[in-house]
Amino acid sequence: MIIYGKNVVKDYLENNKKIYSIKLANNFDDEEIFELIKKRNINVEKIDIKKINNIESGNHQGIIADVEEYSYIDINEIYDNINSNTLIVILDHIEDTHNFGAIIRTCEAAGVDYIVIPNDRAVKVNSTVIKTSAGSINNIKIAAVANINNVINKLKENGVWIAGTTLGNGEEYTQIDYNIPIAIVLGNEGKGISKLTGDLCDFLIKIPMYGKINSLNVSVATGIVIYEIIRQRKQVLNEQTRENI
């Protein structure tokens, strides 16, 4: 798999991820990356910038690397590690690579435990997703599964509550008590979450819209809901701390 961009390649170097080779533009001059490459003793080829453009059209910043394919976790790891503060994001057939990468970045920044995606009809981890995640891909665990509805049922059996986002009838997202093990389901950019998946949710939540646009980008919606969960949990923790003083 090809990855590109200074921050992404640097993250792979610093985290000792498997890197088969690196191609640099002739005018590449990042001394910190040079030192990391030297320390890892990785094969480097310097080539004309036009050749790099032919390999990768994204914003590569003069550096691309050939790395091992992304390794998803086994779904059983999630089932085996559920606790009272578990926070999971389930993506119901997200298709846009930039949305997925942005969601990964937000989830990592917010301390989300796991992301679950379906194997079919959905974007997978690729070079664009990794670039958009700004290196956070290596600090969060993602499971790719055959059927997210089966996962939802299994999570419910293990005490996880399921909240699905909706544009229709649902409770305002700030009105739910998130001090429980919870999984947030976010739907496809055009269709939202499927009816069957929505029916499996314990409750549906919505973000109020006050302008003429009736929906938000899915990565933005993810951030809004996740940080409300964090706000509530910190509030409860602060109250418990004050009670114990």
Side-chain angles (χ1 to χ4, degrees):
M1 179 172 68
I2 296 296
I3 61 171
Y4 59 92
K6 290 182 180 181
N7 289 337
V8 173
V9 177
K10 180 183 174 184
D11 183 75
Y12 268 68
L13 288 164
E14 290 178 332
N15 284 283
N16 290 318
K17 295 294 183 179
K18 182 67 176 178
I19 300 176
Y20 301 112
S21 64
I22 293 176
K23 288 182 172 60
L24 300 175
N26 287 326
N27 61 348
F28 188 82
D29 62 355
D30 190 308
E31 292 298 330
E32 186 175 5
I33 290 179
F34 281 141
E35 286 300 315
L36 289 169
I37 291 172
K38 183 178 179 181
K39 186 181 297 184
R40 291 282 306 275
N41 194 29
I42 295 169
N43 180 48
V44 172
E45 179 184 4
K46 284 202 168 186
I47 60 177
D48 188 85
I49 190 73
K50 292 180 180 179
K51 291 184 178 180
I52 294 183
N53 291 337
N54 289 335
I55 299 171
E56 176 52 60
S57 60
N59 182 23
H60 51 69
Q61 298 173 299
I63 181 170
I64 60 176
D66 183 16
V67 302
E68 65 181 348
E69 291 296 316
Y70 179 79
S71 180
Y72 298 94
I73 66 166
D74 188 289
I75 189 64
N76 289 301
E77 179 176 338
I78 299 179
Y79 302 145
D80 293 341
N81 289 282
I82 293 169
N83 58 57
S84 60
N85 289 313
T86 292
L87 175 53
I88 302 166
V89 168
I90 300 175
L91 303 179
D92 185 4
H93 297 94
I94 299 297
E95 297 177 338
D96 185 273
T97 54
H98 291 90
N99 282 340
F100 187 24
I103 289 170
I104 291 170
R105 185 173 184 176
T106 298
C107 288
E108 194 279 335
V112 169
D113 297 298
Y114 304 101
I115 298 173
V116 178
I117 63 172
N119 277 323
D120 65 327
R121 296 179 290 112
V123 66
K124 302 294 190 304
V125 175
N126 60 23
S127 58
T128 302
V129 170
I130 292 173
K131 172 68 172 176
T132 310
S133 77
S136 59
I137 189 74
N138 291 318
N139 301 311
I140 194 163
K141 295 180 177 181
I142 304 174
V145 301
N147 189 305
I148 62 170
N149 290 334
N150 289 343
V151 171
I152 288 173
N153 283 324
K154 184 71 173 180
L155 288 172
K156 292 172 75 171
E157 291 174 8
N158 283 275
V160 177
W161 291 75
I162 312 296
T165 56
T166 182
L167 296 176
N169 294 325
E171 296 186 69
E172 190 166 321
Y173 77 106
T174 56
Q175 301 305 306
I176 301 296
D177 183 355
Y178 297 108
N179 287 283
I180 50 178
I182 193 163
I184 304 297
V185 184
L186 295 117
N188 172 275
E189 291 90 345
K191 303 175 183 177
I193 62 175
S194 68
K195 184 179 185 307
L196 180 56
T197 300
D199 290 342
L200 291 175
C201 294
D202 294 300
F203 42 85
L204 296 175
I205 57 175
K206 64 181 180 180
I207 299 170
M209 300 287 113
Y210 301 109
K212 294 181 179 180
I213 302 299
N214 68 350
S215 66
L216 293 171
N217 175 279
V218 64
S219 65
V220 174
T222 301
I224 290 173
V225 174
I226 287 174
Y227 274 92
E228 171 61 16
I229 295 172
I230 293 172
R231 185 194 68 80
Q232 288 191 20
R233 289 181 173 184
K234 286 187 68 175
Q235 184 178 40
V236 169
L237 183 61
N238 290 338
E239 290 173 354
Q240 292 173 343
T241 300
R242 285 195 295 269
E243 289 174 358
N244 292 328
I245 294 175

